[in-house]
Amino acid sequence: VVEIGTPERSVITTCAYCGVGCSFKAELRGDELVRMVPHKDGKANRGHSCVKGRFAWGYATHKERILNPMIRDKITDPWREVSWDEALGFAANRMKGIIAEHGRQSVGVITSSRCTNEETYLVQKLTRAVFLNNNTDTCARVCHSPTGYGLGQTYGTSAGTQNFDSVEHSDVIMVIGANPSAAHPVFASRMKKRIRQGAKLIVVDPRRTETVEAAHANATHHLPLRPGTNVAVVTALAHVIVTEGLMNEAFIRERCDWDEFQDYAEFVSQPHHAPEAVESLTGVPAETVREAARLYATGGNGAIYYGLGVTEHSQGSTTVIGIANLAMLTGNIGRPGVGVNPLRGQNNVQGSCDMGSFPHELPGYRHVKNDDVRALFKGAWGVDIDNEPGLRIPNMLDAAVEGSFKGLYCQGEDILQSDPDTKHVAAGLAAMDCVIVHDLFLNETANYAHVFLPGSTFLEKNGTFTNAERRINLVRKVMAPKNGYEDWEVTQMLANAMGANWNYAHPSQIMDEIALLTPSFAGVNYDMLEAKNSVQWPCNEKAPEGTPTMHVDGFVRGKGKFIRTEYVATDEKTGPRFPLLLTTGRILSQYNVGAQTRRTANVVWHDQDVLEIHPHDAENRGIRDGDYVRLASRSGETTLRATITDKVSPGVVYTTFHHPDTQANVVTTDFSDWATNCPEYKVTAVQVSPSNGP
Ligand code: SF4
């Protein structure tokens, strides 16, 4: 029991972990934060929170935070603490020198989905208006970039179609490649409440997840597919709906392109897409697929929620398209209780994508080749915008290894731990002449940095996050930044050190600029957000109160577009050397690479990553529960303890990547989504063998 005394005041702000975007009261005594209390008026959480958010403040005050800028000539030199002026001057001179010697395409940035909209907007502006290229990418590259592509192609915009309240009107909830009980707990509670009231649950996931188990009593349909076969399963679901005549033809005729539908219907009707034809490939009994398809098509309001188990595949974009097709086929779009909803892993994945962090899009998902849009930004920024898409994260690393990419500003992202194929990431970073890491802690990536700029936590800044339901929530400063500056100020200082003349005095001014240049944010400003508590975009003249449900009268692109979804096997194959398939995920108490949660009270719930392995596979290898095992793939190997469980099927193993000593991404490969380069974290051929330990 910890005695906290009586708090003297509180500040309402937004959780900086997952895409639910819970609202909290940060309670203080003097300047000391003593407690985080979930806020009852929070529209996403209504007074609830999970174990991550409640203890989030632990990392803000952790002793390992770096509070002073540091520089070094070479990555083998010791760090030298310097003033902000010296650090920014050093960084600016290096970046300018690289551009002068190697050209403007030789530098770029990686933004973080954990930073605010305003910070993210400024980082992409730094790239486009100061570096004069489009080499800006976001960590959404490695999670939800296929959502951007798939929903953009089919519906016309990359966003969840519903608000969280919508689930209260759902009769059938299909969860594909997501485990909200662990990764989005507060939303999962609302989902499970609806299931207790009678809604049916379909879960498509290789693991018997906590989401499956929590709702099992209520007629759950679990489709335990073999990792990498999402497209075959989603297309088989469509096959059943079309061939059994379960489509909503009136919806399709009115809202979708009929010719494209007919082509798609002919495609999915082919016998090789039938559940029986793909049963041995997917591992899902054909009758289970048929039951799930009938239930989704005829069971009332059908809603789909999906996560990284959909996107992080070589066919991630194809699966997103397949999911969008399912909703159009059944008319499950455009009203409460239905829709297609990507569950965003990080607090501001939606906002990061909205703010133009991708190398081909300016804020508001407008392509850099669009002359009118570039002219709009030129008018505001006073510089020509490059009309060629820039480099994605993996392209930056490839170019670095080849010698043409030399300088990187990496804000709030530990790419060495979070990105796949760690050896390749390290080689790319080591080949650069200037790596600027802007972060809270000396993370793994910082081992390859020349400049370290201390970052500020969500408790030390003003701004906005946009959650998974497109809700723009205010982030309010609870305490002064321990490092001296909010992150947007650091980016502004770096831009000005490189010759810009930015004069933002407060993030609200940045939001005003975003609103001026981005039609879906045209009605957003801080006064309005204070008055309304929060708002879902689009928020503009047409929708001054925001937009709880999208595509009500028509799709953003006009007619909904059906696209064929042919299954193509990943190049990552099992074989005699690597006979098992590894898939990865998260647990409730930890968040991503754990840089934050490992520095909070949450560490007591999870102090190491473990490998889940089926009893048959363990027995065949002489592995007992709790033994150390060697996990090896074509990319590399690591050592961790085994947990024997039938949550995973024979032939499949599973682990998390929360701890740097495990470095699970040492074993993941560099295969990626065909459309977006999102890494294929979810499918790695591996061998597991007994080990004496690390
Ligand atoms: Fe809410 Fe997600 Fe934060 Fe948990 S981690 S408190 S569910 S926003």
Side-chain angles (χ1 to χ4, degrees):
V1 176
V2 179
E3 180 56 54
I4 60 165
T6 309
E8 295 165 350
R9 63 191 173 94
S10 65
V11 179
I12 295 166
T13 192
T14 305
C15 181
Y17 281 135
C18 86
V20 176
C22 294
S23 183
F24 276 90
K25 267 185 179 173
E27 295 188 338
L28 297 108
R29 198 175 48 240
D31 289 334
E32 187 193 1
L33 199 161
V34 292
R35 193 168 63 178
M36 297 281 284
V37 181
H39 184 39
K40 66 176 173 38
D41 293 335
K43 289 192 178 167
N45 60 313
R46 298 179 180 175
H48 296 279
S49 79
C50 81
V51 71
K52 287 188 279 280
R54 265 183 190 269
F55 298 109
W57 51 283
Y59 72 81
T61 52
H62 197 277
K63 62 181 184 330
E64 287 172 8
R65 266 190 72 185
I66 305 294
L67 301 177
N68 295 308
M70 301 187 294
I71 60 173
R72 55 185 176 183
D73 279 330
K74 300 193 294 290
I75 60 173
T76 48
D77 292 343
W79 284 110
R80 193 158 56 86
E81 273 190 18
V82 294
S83 67
W84 275 100
D85 278 351
E86 186 173 350
L88 290 162
F90 180 91
N93 284 337
R94 279 229 172 171
M95 293 299 256
K96 283 194 287 188
I98 290 169
I99 292 169
E101 190 178 341
H102 301 281
R104 61 190 164 93
Q105 299 295 346
S106 59
V107 296
V109 306
I110 297 175
T111 69
S112 172
S113 299
R114 264 165 249 171
C115 292
T116 63
N117 286 318
E118 294 76 6
E119 288 160 352
T120 308
Y121 174 86
L122 279 200
V123 173
Q124 62 84 36
K125 179 173 176 179
L126 170 78
T127 317
R128 294 183 161 119
V130 179
F131 295 175
L132 300 178
N133 64 41
N134 285 310
N135 294 336
T136 175
D137 208 357
T138 162
C139 57
R141 169 71 50 212
V142 301
C143 65
H144 267 290
S145 51
T147 291
Y149 183 83
L151 295 186
Q153 292 288 307
T154 49
Y155 297 170
T157 194
S158 166
T161 61
Q162 310 299 120
N163 60 6
F164 289 146
D165 294 351
S166 168
V167 78
E168 292 168 12
H169 304 276
S170 299
D171 302 306
V172 179
I173 299 166
M174 177 142 44
V175 178
I176 309 181
N179 184 12
S181 290
H184 304 88
V186 168
F187 174 68
S189 298
R190 295 180 72 176
M191 203 176 79
K192 285 183 270 191
K193 182 177 171 196
R194 182 64 190 155
I195 291 163
R196 284 196 300 276
Q197 291 169 344
K200 301 291 187 244
L201 177 68
I202 301 165
V203 178
V204 183
D205 200 291
R207 266 178 95 228
R208 200 176 72 245
T209 60
E210 294 80 358
T211 302
V212 179
E213 294 194 331
H216 200 266
N218 200 303
T220 302
H221 297 257
H222 180 206
L223 281 58
L225 78 176
R226 184 175 163 81
T229 62
N230 286 340
V231 170
V233 171
V234 168
T235 307
L237 289 167
H239 173 95
V240 177
I241 292 168
V242 171
T243 57
E244 295 190 9
L246 307 178
M247 320 76 90
N248 184 337
E249 190 176 322
F251 178 91
I252 298 167
R253 282 191 180 276
E254 184 190 338
R255 301 285 304 275
C256 307
D257 185 298
W258 183 253
D259 290 343
E260 284 163 351
F261 162 70
Q262 286 183 310
D263 176 74
Y264 174 72
E266 186 264 320
F267 163 76
V268 295
S269 300
Q270 293 164 12
H272 70 276
H273 294 307
E276 292 73 14
V278 295
E279 183 173 316
S280 63
L281 169 76
T282 65
V284 186
E287 196 48 35
T288 309
V289 176
R290 286 196 178 272
E291 284 171 10
R294 289 168 192 148
L295 181 58
Y296 174 67
T298 65
N301 284 339
I304 300 179
Y305 295 86
Y306 71 87
L308 305 185
V310 161
T311 55
E312 291 176 343
H313 288 271
S314 59
Q315 284 200 288
S317 291
T318 314
T319 308
V320 174
I321 289 168
I323 289 170
N325 289 340
L326 287 177
M328 288 190 291
L329 268 182
T330 52
N332 276 314
I333 280 286
R335 63 182 188 278
V338 299
V340 172
N341 298 283
L343 291 169
R344 312 291 192 159
Q346 299 187 38
N347 53 320
N348 202 33
V349 173
Q350 181 69 60
S352 169
C353 300
D354 300 342
M355 291 299 107
S357 314
F358 284 132
H360 65 294
E361 282 173 340
L362 285 150
Y365 302 100
R366 289 163 296 168
H367 204 281
V368 295
K369 284 193 179 296
N370 183 318
D371 294 341
D372 293 340
V373 173
R374 281 201 324 284
L376 177 72
F377 280 85
K378 180 180 180 182
W381 295 350
V383 294
D384 283 316
I385 310 296
D386 193 351
N387 65 357
E388 282 301 319
L391 298 172
R392 299 168 173 176
I393 295 171
N395 307 135
M396 291 182 200
L397 294 166
D398 290 346
V401 171
E402 288 159 11
S404 59
F405 188 84
K406 296 286 187 180
L408 176 69
Y409 172 36
C410 186
Q411 187 188 62
E413 198 49 27
D414 187 2
I415 58 170
L416 195 71
Q417 198 185 336
S418 62
D419 284 34
D421 198 354
T422 307
K423 273 194 235 163
H424 183 62
V425 178
L429 289 168
M432 295 185 207
D433 294 338
C434 183
V435 175
I436 305 165
V437 167
H438 183 183
D439 220 308
L440 302 175
F441 303 102
L442 269 178
N443 58 22
E444 302 299 303
T445 305
N447 290 328
Y448 293 84
H450 306 86
V451 182
F452 187 92
L453 303 176
S456 49
T457 69
F458 75 110
L459 295 168
E460 299 163 315
K461 59 177 72 165
N462 290 303
T464 56
F465 295 148
T466 306
N467 76 356
E469 50 169 0
R470 294 171 280 105
R471 184 178 299 285
I472 306 163
N473 283 307
L474 278 168
V475 178
R476 296 183 184 86
K477 194 190 285 191
V478 174
M479 54 175 83
K482 291 186 181 303
N483 58 325
Y485 295 100
E486 298 178 40
D487 291 338
W488 66 269
E489 293 177 288
V490 175
T491 303
Q492 172 161 278
M493 291 189 295
L494 179 60
N496 289 344
M498 290 192 68
N501 183 25
W502 297 355
N503 293 298
Y504 303 103
H506 190 272
S508 61
Q509 296 173 350
I510 305 172
M511 178 55 81
D512 291 343
E513 184 173 312
I514 294 166
L516 199 66
L517 295 169
T518 313
S520 53
F521 276 64
V524 180
N525 60 65
Y526 275 35
D527 288 343
M528 182 267 256
L529 290 172
E530 286 285 359
K532 288 191 189 305
N533 179 329
S534 61
V535 73
Q536 288 176 269
W537 69 256
C539 175
N540 48 30
E541 223 171 55
K542 278 194 209 152
E545 299 300 315
T547 308
T549 308
M550 292 197 80
H551 315 301
V552 172
D553 299 317
F555 287 97
V556 168
R557 71 180 302 280
K559 293 280 187 186
K561 183 179 176 68
F562 283 96
I563 301 174
R564 290 178 171 222
T565 52
E566 189 72 73
Y567 167 74
V568 179
T570 170
D571 287 334
E572 177 69 354
K573 311 277 190 221
T574 53
R577 270 183 74 205
F578 302 109
L580 305 174
L581 280 179
L582 170 74
T583 189
T584 59
R586 296 157 175 75
I587 66 158
L588 171 62
S589 63
Q590 296 295 315
Y591 178 75
N592 287 2
V593 298
Q596 292 147 300
T597 43
R598 280 186 286 106
R599 293 178 171 102
T600 68
N602 296 53
V603 78
V604 301
W605 286 289
H606 187 264
D607 60 359
Q608 59 182 322
D609 297 312
V610 297
L611 185 79
E612 290 187 1
I613 184 167
H614 190 272
H616 293 166
D617 293 323
E619 190 181 344
N620 287 343
R621 290 164 173 77
I623 294 166
R624 291 162 306 174
D625 198 51
D627 280 358
Y628 276 114
V629 293
R630 173 178 169 267
L631 174 70
S633 74
R634 294 178 185 90
S635 300
E637 64 178 70
T638 186
T639 305
L640 67 176
R641 289 190 188 273
T643 293
I644 299 176
T645 172
D646 63 0
K647 281 186 182 176
V648 290
S649 303
V652 176
V653 290
Y654 167 86
T655 191
T656 52
F657 56 98
H658 300 308
H659 292 271
D661 44 355
T662 310
Q663 290 220 342
N665 282 319
V666 165
V667 300
T668 51
T669 72
D670 62 358
F671 292 125
S672 64
D673 175 48
W674 63 272
T676 67
N677 281 132
C678 182
E680 190 169 46
Y681 289 109
K682 301 294 184 183
V683 188
T684 306
V686 294
Q687 178 57 291
V688 179
S689 52
S691 162
N692 292 327

